[in-house]
Amino acid sequence: MLNAVDKKLLEEVADLHDVPQGAYNIRKNGEGISRNTTANIDIVTKQDKPGINIIIKPKTKGESVHIPVIISKEGLNDTVYNTFEVGEDSDVLIVAGCGIHNSGSEKAQHDGIHEFFVRKGAHMKYIEKHYGEGDGTGERVLNPKTIIEVEEDGVAELEMIQIKGVDKTIRDTEVVLHKNARLIVTERLLTYLDQNAESNITVELVGEDSSAQIISRSVAQDDSKQIFHLNLRGHAKCRGHIQCDSIIMDNAQVSSIPEISAFHSDAQLIHEAAIGKIASDQLTKLMTLGLTEKEAEDTVLRGFLG
Amino acid sequence: MLNAVDKKLLEEVADLHDVPQGAYNIRKNGEGISRNTTANIDIVTKQDKPGINIIIKPKTKGESVHIPVIISKEGLNDTVYNTFEVGEDSDVLIVAGCGIHNSGSEKAQHDGIHEFFVRKGAHMKYIEKHYGEGDGTGERVLNPKTIIEVEEDGVAELEMIQIKGVDKTIRDTEVVLHKNARLIVTERLLTYLDQNAESNITVELVGEDSSAQIISRSVAQDDSKQIFHLNLRGHAKCRGHIQCDSIIMDNAQVSSIPEISAFHSDAQLIHEAAIGKIASDQLTKLMTLGLTEKEAEDTVLRGFLG
């Protein structure tokens, strides 16, 4: 059922060499092709629109759900709606991600709309990798929308990575944090050629003692363009920190337009952003050790995005 | 010609106890009431619209121009257009500012549109203080628009201060920096009651080796609201740094929505913003020394805005 191209994509987006352990749902070219559920994690096909409901029972610990999407057909515009119920006091890993192999001349697009309910005291780690390949001229487009509500004492930890091959992306992430809820976001983005990437993250800190930390690192090469809107809005006693660092190269363009807004006098919000070129002292040092300039550059960038 | 109220306003906005030394133009209730020019600094009334042209000869050093505006009448909506020609290799101080005494029930408003041409190698220090007073219910509104072009090797140093009594303000500042030009902006803002303040600063770094530094500090008390849009846009090899710190108290609201955009790989841009409450350890220390909480708070805020 999985051919060589599929397996390559799965490895890129979900570090999988074959079907995963635990619960999973693999979607290929707009259709679910393989699914496994466990005693604690159910996966149910939505009746009203394309997509699945992933239901994780309360107190489920140490389990994982993989829901990779692979697309190997040009001209496909696949939109999918997935809803995650992360039960009270559970502690789970969710691995999503989408890989596109487009060797044609038409666009291949996947829009994943993911909604998460992280219930009281639950801890969710969510990893999402986006990857494109294929020597066709057809564009590879990925527009993820991620909506997360974290209830009291819940934790949502997100790793969102797009390193290679995605021509256009608009990434929308909206998070609401209730009392004592915590959000940690790590974003890694690399664009090259004439790729375009836009990342919009808005966090509403509505509950007392909620906290959010967003660390975004990006590299923009060639003629690529990146825009970041990273927003923290504090409505209660809360803490938030955004750090947004970009390395700009060649003829690339990077804009960072964050917002920190305090609607409460005990909201404490910090934003730091920097755009600059690759540190020349690091390059020089690596070249002294025998690396070529290109190798040195790759090493520094890998470290920065690692 | 200057009554006691006028003199109080002049002192608040321009640190003047009477008419200033050097070149000056004093505008009161929509009309020029007093002017002095010097051998190097000419002031000419505009023919096409309200306002003046201030022409500073090349190489003028160590001279100053004061152009305060005072308003002591309710119901006045005064718009004025001033153009400053800061000649090559000059080094001058320009003190503007507007004071409103409104003891009536109608709004008193002043919109000052200031355009500056800082010529090659010139150094301009520009101080602008805005101040309101009066026990009337009429609003005191000040909307300054400041447009600055700094030519090669020029320096523009701005101090923009609004500490007291302005009910509404929208402050627009637009700066273009050419080769090796430098901008230093210090902004101080305090709002209270239900005052509203919006500050928009956009700096276009178009010339090679241009640099900009913006340091904004604000305090928002009571039910007041502040919005900051501080933007740096790098189009060449350049350096820019924004630092925006706000202390939020009571039911105030503060939003900081900066932009850093790099359109060139040698643009190096940094933004830092923080919103939080007054540091409690500083308060405690001062109270240990015998100050009341209110006195301690005032001391910390004065230090922060000083």
Side-chain angles (χ1 to χ4, degrees), chain B residues 196-255:
Chain B
N196 267 281
E198 179 176 334
S199 175
N200 309 311
I201 303 179
T202 297
V203 182
E204 306 280 350
L205 298 120
V206 300
E208 206 184 329
D209 291 318
S210 57
S211 72
Q213 181 183 318
I214 301 174
I215 299 178
S216 170
R217 287 189 175 184
S218 77
V219 176
Q221 298 176 319
D222 300 333
D223 296 301
S224 66
K225 288 180 190 168
Q226 299 181 354
I227 299 180
F228 296 90
H229 294 96
L230 309 185
N231 309 322
L232 292 179
R233 301 162 64 84
H235 304 270
K237 176 172 179 285
C238 63
R239 285 187 311 147
H241 188 184
I242 306 173
Q243 195 182 317
C244 186
D245 290 313
S246 301
I247 290 178
I248 183 171
M249 300 168 75
D250 312 312
N251 296 309
Q253 299 185 3
V254 179
S255 284

Side-chain angles (χ1 to χ4, degrees), chain B residues 79-99:
Chain B
T79 301
V80 66
Y81 299 82
N82 297 333
T83 306
F84 300 78
E85 163 76 26
V86 182
E88 273 190 31
D89 294 319
S90 63
D91 187 346
V92 292
L93 169 68
I94 298 171
V95 181
C98 181

Side-chain angles (χ1 to χ4, degrees), chain A residues 264-277:
Chain A
H264 192 286
S265 64
D266 288 314
Q268 195 182 323
L269 304 173
I270 296 175
H271 175 263
E272 300 169 278
I275 304 173
K277 62 179 176 180

Side-chain angles (χ1 to χ4, degrees), chain A residues 254-256 260-262 271 273 275, chain B residues 254-256 260-262 269 271 273 275:
Chain A
V254 178
S255 284
S256 187
I260 54 174
S261 287
H271 175 263
I275 304 173
Chain B
V254 179
S255 284
S256 187
I260 54 174
S261 286
L269 304 173
H271 175 264
I275 304 172

Side-chain angles (χ1 to χ4, degrees), chain A residues 179-206:
Chain A
K179 191 176 172 189
N180 208 36
R182 200 146 60 91
L183 173 74
I184 304 117
V185 177
T186 308
E187 182 177 52
R188 297 288 181 266
L189 195 61
L190 185 145
T191 56
Y192 53 98
L193 298 173
D194 60 350
Q195 296 175 352
N196 267 279
E198 179 176 335
S199 175
N200 308 313
I201 302 179
T202 297
V203 182
E204 306 279 351
L205 297 119
V206 299

